[in-house]
Amino acid sequence: MNLLCIYMVFLLLFEYNNSISHTKVRIKPKNLLNLPQTFDYYAFISRFLLNKSVLLQLRAVVAYECLFSDLRYICNTCTQVADRYITLILRKEEWIGKAFPDFKVKDTEGKEWSNTDVTGRPMVLNFWYTGCGPCIREMPELNKWMEVYPDVTYLATTFDSAAQIKKIVESRPFLFTQIADDLFFFETFHVSGMPVTILVDKKGIIRHIEQGTGTAKLRYMQDKLQKLVSE
């Protein structure tokens, strides 16, 4: 298990420990490596995929992607888990060509953002979190977009808190306006795996959604952004 897996399952264990502290069963998340070999990770993570809390679902999806190649065929609650996991997957074909949904969020500086603040100029919305290596690796390239296309609104959203992202945002750095500790966009677009980048045109229409990153994808997205700026 790599460190990200350990960290994400640790978070789930912590939540689980708190949620059942009133019962006879109690798991103490002091050290994941000391868990009994018979510990049922499958059933454990499935609990959170089915949880009403979207934040716990997102953490569970990360742990799922780290630990298991195909949870749905192994877990005791495979049918429910598969159905729940599928609902968390972004279906970009359902959004392309549609108006960006109404929203009102607040950035880490306390400024409120809504549709009226971004209409009339293209917008880039990037989904990330602090444990996402690819997200962090693409930040320098995303920053360059801001230099080349200054008349674009650049927003980044994460379920991590402002305190959690502070070090990365300042040291990497990541220059996008940060929407932290907020699940609105994650819930709206059913984003689980990251990074995800959404490009919106001047009229507020979603024109492109890219899942994942890499040199080719970043170049492709920049070409798409260039066209939106030129329109």
Side-chain angles (χ1 to χ4, degrees), residues 6 43 73 75 79 84 115 129 140 142-143 150 153 167 169 189 191 194 208 217-218 221 223 226-228:
I6 293 175
Y73 295 120
C75 183
T79 302
R84 187 58 185 148
N115 300 73
Y129 71 99
L142 296 180
N143 290 337
T153 299
K167 183 177 180 180
V169 168
F189 292 100
V191 170
M194 284 160 272
H208 184 72
K217 286 189 175 184
L218 287 168
M221 283 190 288
D223 289 342
Q226 170 69 61
K227 293 179 181 179
L228 296 185

Side-chain angles (χ1 to χ4, degrees), residues 5 45 58-69 85 129 192-194:
C5 297
I45 288 183
L58 288 168
R59 288 175 176 172
V61 167
V62 173
Y64 158 76
E65 292 176 341
C66 282
L67 292 172
F68 312 120
S69 59
Y85 182 65
Y129 71 99
S192 54
M194 284 160 272

Side-chain angles (χ1 to χ4, degrees), residues 141-201:
E141 189 62 32
L142 296 180
N143 290 337
K144 292 179 182 178
W145 294 2
M146 300 181 69
E147 299 176 9
V148 179
Y149 314 112
D151 295 325
V152 173
T153 299
Y154 296 93
L155 301 180
T157 185
T158 176
F159 51 79
D160 289 321
S161 69
Q164 289 173 314
I165 70 172
K166 182 178 174 62
K167 183 177 180 180
I168 292 175
V169 168
E170 293 181 353
S171 63
R172 183 65 178 156
F174 191 18
L175 303 178
F176 281 29
T177 297
Q178 299 294 323
I179 311 297
D181 199 16
D182 195 299
L183 295 175
F184 175 80
F185 292 125
F186 287 92
E187 292 177 329
T188 300
F189 292 100
H190 289 177
V191 170
S192 54
M194 284 160 272
V196 167
T197 302
I198 298 178
L199 304 183
V200 183
D201 68 18

Side-chain angles (χ1 to χ4, degrees), residues 87-131:
T87 65
L88 289 171
I89 295 175
L90 167 65
R91 293 178 175 82
K92 60 183 182 180
E93 66 278 1
E94 296 180 1
W95 287 102
I96 302 299
K98 293 185 178 179
F100 195 86
D102 291 338
F103 71 95
K104 181 177 289 186
V105 295
K106 186 178 293 187
D107 67 28
T108 53
E109 300 299 321
K111 177 183 176 180
E112 287 193 347
W113 291 81
S114 66
N115 300 73
T116 57
D117 297 302
V118 300
T119 302
R121 55 192 295 172
M123 179 178 73
V124 176
L125 175 63
N126 179 259
F127 293 76
W128 74 288
Y129 71 99
T130 55

Side-chain angles (χ1 to χ4, degrees), residues 39-83:
F39 184 76
D40 191 346
Y41 284 103
Y42 305 112
F44 174 71
I45 288 183
S46 73
R47 168 192 173 93
F48 292 94
L49 284 171
L50 298 169
N51 196 283
K52 291 182 179 180
S53 166
V54 175
L55 178 56
L56 292 185
Q57 291 169 353
L58 288 168
R59 288 175 176 172
V61 167
V62 173
Y64 158 76
E65 292 176 341
C66 282
L67 292 172
F68 312 120
S69 59
D70 208 339
L71 177 63
R72 70 183 64 184
Y73 295 120
I74 302 173
C75 183
N76 293 332
T77 56
C78 58
T79 302
Q80 289 178 304
V81 172
D83 290 344

